[in-house]
Amino acid sequence: MRDGFFALTAELAGSLRGNEALFCTLDGEDSDFVRLNRNRIRQAGSLHRRRLGLKLISGDRQVEGSCDLPGGPPQDPTLPRDLLARMRNRLPQVPRDPFLDYSSMPTFSERTLSGDLPDPAQAVSGLISEAGDMDLVGIWASGDTMNGLASSLGHRHWHQSRSFNLDWSCHLEKDKAIKAGFSGFDWDGAGLAQKVAGMRRGLELMARPARTIRPGRYRAYLAPEAVRELMDLLAWGGFDLESHRSAKTPLMRLVEGERQLDPRVCIREEHCRGLIPGFTAEGFEKPERVDLIVSGAYRECLVDSRSGKEYGVAVNAGSGHPESIALDAGDITRSEVLDRLGSGLYIGNLWYLNYSDRNDCRITGMTRFGTFWVENGRPVAPVEVMRFDDSIYHLLGDQMEGLTKVREMMLSTSTYGGRSTASSLLPGILVKAIELPL
Amino acid sequence: MRKPETRLQLFDEVVKWARNSAPPADYWTLRSVAEESETLSVRRDVVEPARIESRCGAMISLVRGPGMGYSATSDLSAGGLRAAFARALHWAQLHAGLGLFNAALFPRSDAQSHYRTRTIEPWEARAIEDKLALLRDACTALKIDSRILDRSAWVQYRRVLQLLVTSEGGRSERVLEYVNPGLAAVAHARGQTQRRTGGGADRPGQGGLERIAEVGFLDAAPRIAEDAIALLGAPECPTETCDLVLMPGQMAMQIHESIGHPLELDRILGDERNYAGTSFVTPDMFGSYRYGSELLNITFDPTLRGELASYAADDEGTPAERTYLIRNGILERPLGSRLSQARSGLPGVANARASGWERPPIDRMANINLEPKDDSLEELIDRVEHGVLMDTNRSWSIDDSRNKFQFGCELGRLIADGELQGLVRNPGYRGISADFWRSLAGVGNREGFEMRGVGNCGKGEPNQAISVGHASPPCLFRGVSIFGGG
């Protein structure tokens, strides 16, 4: 596909006129999906998708477009040529764009993350066999994803990976369930068996009578998966330059110095992790890392080419949304977590987060999966789902007691618009109090 | 832009190949989709890059014996289709041995249907320069004060052609068109940011350029900016329990989260428990459960002209008709497609929908509407001694069983002794679905009945986001827990 994409770009570039420049991107996947309910196959299928993106530039005018590629190799250029013609017709109709920016010097990269994947049918059959009579619900997603960038100026970039992502939960009655994930590039059947065994043990605790707790403030430990939900919401307008400069970011009070997070909180975007493309759609190369928050204070934003040109800041990302986020570790060991928690909530996962007050970075959401009441360092009962509503300035600020020493690497399970290559490297967090109003 | 007729010719060639060359199967469907869209937007008086998008591909679903599988491809060549059919057969063979149910339950369709969005002024009727001039005028009209730090005006056009053909001779053809404009103003001062939207931003629907005038696009700009400024200086919404009047711009999300989703039958059957969640509704509730007060009437209605999810048949070819889900407060029927109906033994509706060619259909909302009653907005407000009116959703959250919800709105207004009072900012409310709908004490009349919708409802594994319609009048609820910011 790589050679086919580069050849298609060369052909389209050969049709350019005058001072036109062309940037082409490819976003594709060959994926298998097997969806499970009650430890049986609910729906199984495959997807073959190739999406071509075009950016046609003439002087300081630009038009963007995209189309699905119909077949090949070799790629039939008819549809891309049609699209390019439509874009060329559009160019004189749009005004000069003061925020148009692209890399004028060619850059190059190639990265292939290959994996040793099993046949999905075998992997799923193995999981079903391992899970036995457990009520298992989830999805197997696997296959190749690919991203390319090529331009008439000579840029040539390719990023391809072969991975699997198994995201599942096992259920008792009602809300009683434990969630697990198993993802990566090299299959490990023994590792999967261990995870399933771990879930059986978790379900034994989950089977105890659920405790209903009253609204109020509680000590809590948020496991890395729960922290990921907080980070995913913060990523929604929290770190991009445009949101910061136009006062839309929920971290505005941090930016203005009115609020501070705990000095142990350091959040960065780690492009060096290498799981996402290291290039932007305009040909810029991403730096190894971007320090977003350092020692609890705002440091930098994610800057795409458009906002970089608008606000005069160097490009350091493909978009304003983090894709390789990391939160620094602390010093709480795994074996210390429950003792340090003492009595309170062990929150395995959070769900359906949203802002209740963006000005105060106040976030609401629900507990879900693997949430237990802990007494004197021992988990004693699952809890009925509760709504939390609290500010990041508390949870990562004045109410934060500590972070775990060991962090978890989690590959995104999102498949909106395509299998995501995003990832998070996060610790668990111990908080003195979290507000649960309902 | 490729005309629908051109795409249809391509799709008919694809169908011809399938009829001649598909592998032996008990049943198959071939759903070909071509989507064209254009986005124009202006932000702070600068025209953002114009965007033209074209999507095209096909989804094959195949049943052989007790197994079923699917395969989607953008490669519509003979080779691509052959490979896609082979993959669908491969999955059907795996499902045959390990399936949750026998694929004999998979619905067969031989129905014929045809649907096309009625447009008065097609997208192509105005030049790009005219559209951009309109957006620039609207963006300029938002610039009323130096505290407006960000302002945007946009219009998005989408046309979706879908041809569904089945091995039993079914054929369902539809062309959906949408023109969706919107405005946003962001004001900031003294540590407070307020965002106000309008001009159609929360009124997506089917239609052509006539929708721009219908939603009052240009006229809305000054009011939106004025609201954003006024909210900066407004007091916080109080924290208390009181009466609540919700405008259609918030009723849409309330209906969506705490009626639409819990009634999806595949959720009730447990399919979504790993992701989108389950439901507090159980099969035994249908026919007897009091979901809300007697004023609550909810319909699945694919017939309203211009509503987001109006269509003649769903993505499995089942003809769609208007049906009550809740009548006089009693739960009657789930949102379940024919497959879910067969799995559960419950009745349902024609709601098997997919976000595009890349995803298989699952049970989705389409148009889920709250039927109007008798009260004008003034009459609803007149019945409130002490309360708040809230408008335009900006935040939503609910538990995985669809019980404990929390919503935030852009704008609130106090009500005292039956009269609207001053603005309050950062208004929100929370509650539990069953209690909330039983506190429904007033439903607006047909004059106040407005079509709204949600453009990005997410569900399914793999994930898919789809647009759904919600029409509702303003409504009055008693004794709701409200709160503000800070």
Side-chain angles (χ1 to χ4, degrees):
Chain A
M1 188 61 229
R2 183 198 66 174
D3 293 344
F5 167 61
F6 288 161
L8 178 63
T9 299
E11 176 162 352
L12 295 174
S15 70
L16 294 180
R17 303 172 189 172
N19 67 345
E20 288 177 351
L22 180 68
F23 280 77
C24 302
T25 57
L26 184 85
D27 168 20
E29 65 181 289
D30 287 301
S31 298
D32 294 317
F33 301 107
V34 183
R35 188 178 188 192
L36 300 160
N37 182 14
R38 301 194 205 291
N39 201 28
R40 287 292 180 272
I41 296 173
R42 161 66 182 93
Q43 227 172 11
S46 297
L47 170 64
H48 169 89
R49 179 178 64 83
R50 302 285 186 267
R51 188 151 293 158
L52 178 73
L54 302 180
K55 184 192 283 284
L56 180 64
I57 298 162
S58 176
D60 45 14
R61 289 182 162 82
Q62 65 169 324
V63 175
E64 296 178 348
S66 70
C67 67
D68 287 329
L69 292 177
Q75 283 297 336
D76 179 355
T78 310
L79 278 181
R81 275 203 216 117
D82 281 354
L83 176 62
L84 192 59
R86 284 168 60 191
M87 293 166 69
R88 182 174 286 121
N89 288 343
R90 181 62 56 88
L91 264 178
Q93 299 171 322
V94 299
R96 293 189 165 86
D97 187 349
F99 305 145
L100 165 62
D101 194 19
Y102 54 91
S103 156
S104 53
M105 293 301 296
T107 52
F108 310 89
S109 73
E110 180 155 350
R111 186 188 292 152
T112 300
L113 301 170
S114 58
D116 178 22
L117 299 190
D119 172 63
Q122 279 183 5
V124 169
S125 302
L127 171 66
I128 290 174
S129 172
E130 202 67 51
D133 61 355
M134 286 203 285
D135 183 2
L136 187 151
V137 190
I139 180 153
W140 165 276
S142 68
D144 293 335
T145 61
M146 58 210 74
N147 295 93
L149 170 79
S151 78
S152 60
L153 304 180
H155 298 81
R156 293 291 184 269
H157 291 276
W158 188 255
H159 177 99
Q160 183 164 348
S161 70
R162 176 167 291 180
S163 65
F164 70 93
N165 201 319
L166 181 53
D167 176 43
W168 82 96
S169 48
C170 287
H171 297 254
L172 300 175
E173 73 275 10
K174 289 189 178 178
D175 291 313
K176 291 184 168 188
I178 304 272
K179 194 164 175 53
F182 191 50
S183 58
F185 304 92
D186 295 305
W187 182 244
D188 172 12
L192 175 66
Q194 279 177 9
K195 286 243 177 193
V196 175
M199 289 190 91
R200 282 190 197 281
R201 290 190 294 274
L203 285 175
E204 286 170 11
L205 177 56
M206 191 56 78
R208 297 181 190 176
R211 188 170 291 198
T212 302
I213 60 174
R214 295 168 157 286
R217 294 176 65 75
Y218 293 89
R219 280 182 68 73
Y221 170 73
L222 279 65
E225 276 281 0
V227 177
R228 174 160 76 162
E229 289 286 335
L230 290 175
M231 292 294 125
D232 281 353
L233 184 68
L234 261 188
W236 191 8
F239 300 116
D240 67 282
L241 182 67
E242 183 196 302
S243 291
H244 277 235
R245 296 297 177 94
S246 56
K248 292 183 292 202
T249 176
L251 293 170
M252 204 62 212
R253 289 181 182 166
L254 186 75
V255 175
E256 290 178 334
E258 192 185 321
R259 300 294 291 263
Q260 178 106 1
L261 300 178
D262 187 284
R264 290 167 289 180
V265 172
C266 298
I267 300 174
R268 65 179 63 83
E269 173 77 339
E270 293 183 336
H271 297 135
C272 55
R273 203 177 293 164
L275 302 181
I276 58 167
F279 50 88
T280 76
E282 304 81 18
F284 295 106
E285 289 178 302
K286 299 172 186 173
E288 294 230 319
R289 57 181 53 81
V290 180
D291 289 317
L292 302 171
I293 292 172
V294 176
S295 301
Y298 160 72
R299 174 67 65 86
E300 269 188 276
C301 290
L302 293 175
V303 184
D304 64 20
S305 73
R306 189 164 188 82
S307 59
K309 190 71 186 258
E310 180 175 0
Y311 297 106
V313 180
V315 176
N316 64 17
S319 80
H321 200 280
E323 294 177 284
S324 304
I325 203 161
L327 171 60
D328 276 7
D331 58 8
I332 302 176
T333 64
R334 192 165 276 165
S335 59
E336 285 175 328
V337 165
L338 292 178
D339 285 337
R340 291 276 301 260
L341 174 60
S343 294
L345 284 167
Y346 180 104
I347 299 176
N349 300 80
L350 293 173
W351 165 245
Y352 223 139
L353 274 58
N354 212 318
Y355 292 105
S356 53
D357 179 10
R358 281 179 83 92
N359 289 293
D360 201 33
C361 206
R362 208 174 91 209
I363 294 173
T364 187
M366 299 297 301
T367 62
R368 188 184 180 189
F369 299 123
T371 295
F372 300 96
W373 180 254
V374 175
E375 252 168 36
N376 301 317
R378 297 179 57 124
V380 295
V383 295
E384 301 284 3
V385 296
M386 291 294 290
R387 173 167 293 286
F388 80 93
D389 192 336
D390 214 328
S391 171
I392 281 290
Y393 298 123
H394 296 317
L395 298 176
L396 293 180
D398 56 25
Q399 298 298 309
M400 193 183 90
E401 249 187 44
L403 306 135
T404 59
K405 203 169 184 176
V406 172
R407 296 183 294 176
E408 220 167 290
M409 170 66 77
M410 295 167 279
L411 301 189
S412 172
T413 57
S414 172
T415 45
Y416 286 108
R419 281 174 52 222
S420 172
T421 52
S423 60
S424 310
L425 179 60
L426 304 170
I429 297 175
L430 185 63
V431 297
K432 293 176 210 169
I434 185 169
E435 180 77 40
L436 304 179
L438 184 66
Chain B
M1 192 178 305
R2 291 213 158 184
K3 293 183 180 173
E5 294 72 24
T6 310
R7 290 286 195 187
L8 210 47
Q9 282 172 9
L10 165 66
F11 289 167
D12 277 328
E13 286 164 25
V14 169
V15 169
K16 192 173 165 187
W17 183 94
R19 292 212 186 283
N20 290 333
S21 310
D26 293 313
Y27 181 70
W28 55 257
T29 72
L30 174 63
R31 184 168 55 84
S32 309
V33 185
E35 183 174 330
E36 306 279 336
S37 66
E38 291 189 39
T39 303
L40 300 171
S41 71
V42 175
R43 180 182 159 255
R44 302 205 319 170
D45 305 321
V46 174
V47 175
E48 304 212 291
R51 192 157 178 84
I52 301 170
E53 295 188 41
S54 180
R55 303 273 175 269
C56 188
M59 164 68 74
I60 293 153
S61 296
L62 184 146
V63 175
R64 186 191 277 185
M68 57 183 239
Y70 72 83
S71 184
T73 182
S74 60
D75 183 351
L76 301 185
S77 66
L81 293 169
R82 188 173 297 112
F85 266 100
R87 289 303 285 169
L89 180 58
H90 164 79
W91 294 118
Q93 288 162 342
L94 182 69
H95 184 274
L98 293 170
L100 178 63
F101 50 82
N102 191 309
L105 297 181
F106 192 79
R108 273 60 163 172
S109 174
D110 62 359
Q112 312 283 312
S113 75
H114 191 278
Y115 179 91
R116 184 162 192 150
T117 300
R118 282 176 58 196
T119 61
I120 298 171
E121 185 182 4
W123 175 253
E124 298 81 6
R126 290 192 217 174
I128 293 296
E129 292 90 340
D130 293 338
K131 291 164 186 159
L132 287 176
L134 176 68
L135 295 181
R136 282 168 134 160
D137 287 347
C139 204
T140 301
L142 292 169
K143 191 180 177 183
I144 62 166
D145 191 291
S146 60
R147 288 170 291 176
I148 299 286
L149 292 196
D150 205 63
R151 47 202 166 82
S152 304
W154 66 87
V155 64
Q156 196 204 34
Y157 171 70
R158 236 177 108 220
R159 187 186 68 218
V160 184
L161 162 68
Q162 177 169 289
L163 175 64
L164 171 73
V165 164
T166 78
S167 57
E168 293 195 356
R171 184 180 175 98
S172 174
E173 205 177 295
R174 71 173 181 236
V175 180
L176 303 171
E177 289 188 76
Y178 312 85
V179 169
N180 288 319
L183 299 167
V186 178
H188 178 80
R190 291 188 301 275
Q192 180 77 205
T193 298
Q194 290 293 328
R195 181 173 186 260
R196 191 78 177 103
T197 59
D202 66 345
R203 298 181 68 170
Q206 294 186 39
L209 285 169
E210 71 277 3
R211 293 202 72 247
I212 292 179
E214 276 172 16
V215 301
F217 176 69
L218 195 53
D219 291 343
R223 177 186 55 77
I224 285 162
E226 285 159 10
D227 280 351
I229 295 291
L231 285 166
L232 286 179
E236 295 288 345
C237 180
T239 297
E240 57 178 310
T241 299
C242 64
D243 291 348
L244 181 61
V245 173
L246 295 180
M247 298 301 285
Q250 170 54 26
M251 282 303 300
M253 280 308 279
Q254 184 70 59
I255 293 164
H256 183 89
E257 296 290 1
S258 71
I259 293 181
H261 274 309
L263 294 192
E264 288 164 346
L265 188 47
D266 61 348
R267 295 177 69 107
I268 297 170
L269 293 171
D271 289 355
E272 290 282 338
R273 287 176 294 162
N274 186 55
Y275 175 57
T278 178
S279 175
F280 67 90
V281 174
T282 52
D284 57 295
M285 287 179 174
F286 292 97
S288 60
Y289 177 72
R290 176 156 289 285
Y291 206 102
S293 79
E294 289 198 2
L295 298 173
L296 183 64
N297 290 280
I298 299 290
T299 54
F300 167 90
D301 191 351
T303 68
L304 278 190
R305 183 183 158 218
E307 198 168 3
L308 257 188
S310 292
Y311 52 72
D314 72 8
D315 292 343
E316 284 169 354
T318 305
E321 52 189 38
R322 184 174 182 268
T323 312
Y324 272 82
L325 304 176
I326 298 171
R327 196 190 305 256
N328 301 326
I330 301 298
L331 181 61
E332 281 194 0
R333 183 184 286 254
L335 282 165
S337 62
R338 282 178 60 200
L339 176 58
S340 296
Q341 293 168 40
R343 288 169 64 193
S344 65
L346 290 170
V349 294
N351 69 321
R353 301 180 67 204
S355 56
W357 63 264
E358 296 142 83
R359 295 286 186 256
I362 55 176
D363 289 349
R364 300 309 298 259
M365 290 178 254
N367 294 333
I368 308 301
N369 301 336
L370 195 151
E371 296 295 319
K373 296 292 275 185
D374 307 310
D375 292 328
S376 66
L377 175 61
E378 292 71 28
E379 284 166 339
L380 292 176
I381 293 170
D382 187 59
R383 290 163 57 190
V384 175
E385 208 172 292
H386 174 70
V388 169
L389 176 147
M390 293 189 191
D391 194 7
T392 317
N393 178 270
R394 72 175 190 186
S395 172
W396 58 98
S397 173
I398 193 165
D399 72 28
D400 63 297
S401 300
R402 300 282 144 181
N403 260 321
K404 294 183 179 179
F405 62 77
Q406 178 163 318
F407 293 105
C409 291
E410 289 182 1
L411 179 147
R413 214 176 260 286
L414 295 173
I415 303 174
D417 298 322
E419 303 258 349
L420 278 179
Q421 307 294 317
L423 281 183
V424 288
R425 72 187 187 193
N426 303 318
Y429 67 100
R430 58 174 74 98
I432 294 176
S433 295
D435 298 339
F436 184 77
W437 288 111
R438 288 169 198 170
S439 75
L440 177 65
V443 173
N445 57 22
R446 191 150 288 279
E447 264 185 51
F449 183 72
E450 291 181 7
M451 283 194 281
R452 302 296 175 114
V454 171
N456 59 347
C457 173
K459 187 185 164 182
E461 293 182 299
N463 308 137
Q464 41 180 315
I466 207 164
S467 54
V468 303
H470 298 300
S472 173
C475 292
L476 166 65
F477 299 86
R478 301 285 190 200
V480 181
S481 174
I482 67 168
F483 56 87

